[in-house]
Amino acid sequence: MDQPTRGADRNRSLADQADPATDGMLLPSLGDGITLLDVEGGRGVPILQSLVLDHLLLHDGPAFWVDANGHATTTTLAQIAPSQRLLNRIHVARGFTAYQHYGAVCDLPTAVNKSIQMSTTDAGATGRGGPSRDEDTSPHTPALIVAPAVDAQYRADDTLGETHAKTLQARTLARLATYADGYDIPVLVTRNERNEFTEPIATVADHHLECEQTRMGPRVVGEDFEMLVYPVDDGAYYQTTFAYWRQLLAARATQVDVEPTTPAPSTPTPEGVGTGVTADGETVAAT
């Protein structure tokens, strides 16, 4: 039987029709190369883990995670993951000092080759009966490399002077860039602080994601992505930003043969503040 369409679903469909490229995008996709995720007001462990799991759901292959400061906590990973089998594809190494962290990054090719050997052996053992539908039949190349708080150990190691710490961090970033290029995969990194010491991380990054904490939850913005809606338990969506409503109204104007226009503000407004035009033509900013 045909079920009544909720208003939120109609709005969502309208927005999708206006820009089909954003269909279903509640989390940003990770492109090849290094992606820097900056999280405002905290470490952002749940959002980082959500991006990793979302990528693994859409791509075959394992993820290799070089951890620092406990970002690979299994408690939240198990809570967020929709399937426990997904967790089997995440391989974690932890570095508790600068040299251990750098060593783990250098050993990534060895870990990848070891994963290939194990996958080949497992495939040979299960090949006689044929793999089940739920078994992991992913290719052997990595799907993703994750290095959260990539600056943490180099900043905190008392045995390193400032020059040596910067050098070792630069070598780590060079290795990660080499893996991103060699495997043609995304490398997702975060940093503890934004300052001169971590500026090289932003410089080497091919993509940059900004995450801010709001009352509705984390909001992620990137070069080609902006989180405009938030899902809730019953499947509806909260409309949260002026950009979302502008998108809906532009699509509605097209439907009724009214060409949408966006008046340019006469004066600059603070970032993130919406603007509007009154019936008298006066530009105003929302407070």
Side-chain angles (χ1 to χ4, degrees):
M1 297 177 60
D2 293 335
Q3 299 295 324
T5 303
R6 295 172 302 201
D9 290 337
R10 283 196 299 271
N11 289 347
R12 182 63 175 171
S13 299
L14 187 58
D16 290 341
Q17 292 170 12
D19 186 4
T22 63
D23 183 26
M25 286 182 60
L26 293 176
L27 287 171
S29 59
L30 300 176
D32 293 348
I34 294 180
T35 297
L36 170 60
L37 171 66
D38 276 326
V39 182
E40 177 189 69
R43 298 192 305 157
V45 172
I47 187 65
L48 172 72
Q49 294 182 352
S50 297
L51 291 177
V52 172
L53 293 171
D54 184 62
H55 186 83
L56 290 180
L57 286 170
L58 299 175
H59 299 82
D60 293 328
F64 291 86
W65 187 313
V66 181
D67 197 45
N69 287 7
H71 284 72
T73 171
T74 55
T75 302
T76 52
L77 267 174
Q79 291 175 344
I80 296 174
S83 169
Q84 293 299 310
R85 291 182 178 274
L86 200 61
L87 301 180
N88 294 334
R89 294 167 53 192
I90 302 177
H91 306 272
V92 179
R94 304 182 192 275
F96 298 98
T97 68
Y99 289 107
Q100 286 180 0
H101 189 272
Y102 177 65
V105 172
C106 292
D107 289 343
L108 267 172
T110 303
V112 172
N113 292 334
K114 183 177 180 180
S115 175
I116 292 175
Q117 295 173 0
M118 294 178 61
S119 299
T120 303
T121 302
D122 293 342
T126 60
R128 303 183 188 90
S132 67
R133 184 173 182 178
D134 292 332
E135 286 185 275
D136 183 14
T137 58
S138 60
H140 306 313
T141 55
L144 176 68
I145 292 175
V146 190
V150 71
D151 61 309
Q153 302 304 344
Y154 309 102
R155 181 194 304 276
D157 199 321
D158 295 334
T159 65
L160 290 174
E162 182 179 357
T163 301
H164 290 163
K166 289 183 177 179
T167 300
L168 202 56
Q169 178 184 248
R171 290 179 178 176
T172 295
L173 296 175
R175 288 269 185 172
L176 293 176
T178 300
Y179 300 150
D181 184 60
Y183 292 122
D184 289 327
I185 59 171
V187 173
L188 180 61
V189 302
T190 68
R191 53 183 171 175
N192 270 1
E193 300 177 25
R194 299 191 195 189
N195 51 31
E196 182 180 353
F197 186 80
T198 58
E199 192 59 33
I201 303 174
T203 301
V204 76
D206 302 291
H207 315 284
H208 193 187
L209 295 174
E210 296 268 1
C211 178
E212 63 174 330
Q213 303 294 337
T214 72
R215 291 187 299 110
M216 294 292 186
R219 177 173 179 266
V220 181
V221 177
E223 300 97 332
D224 302 316
F225 177 86
E226 180 180 5
M227 186 177 289
L228 301 179
V229 295
Y230 294 90
V232 292
D233 292 339
D234 61 358
Y237 293 88
Y238 286 131
Q239 300 93 28
T240 60
T241 63
F242 281 99
Y244 179 81
W245 289 106
R246 183 172 61 184
Q247 183 178 349
L248 292 180
L249 293 174
R252 177 65 72 196
T254 302
Q255 286 185 347
V256 297
D257 296 327
V258 175
E259 183 177 354
T261 58
T262 305
S266 57
T267 57
T269 58
E271 182 179 0
V273 175
T275 60
V277 179
T278 67
D280 298 327
E282 179 186 1
T283 300
V284 294
T287 60

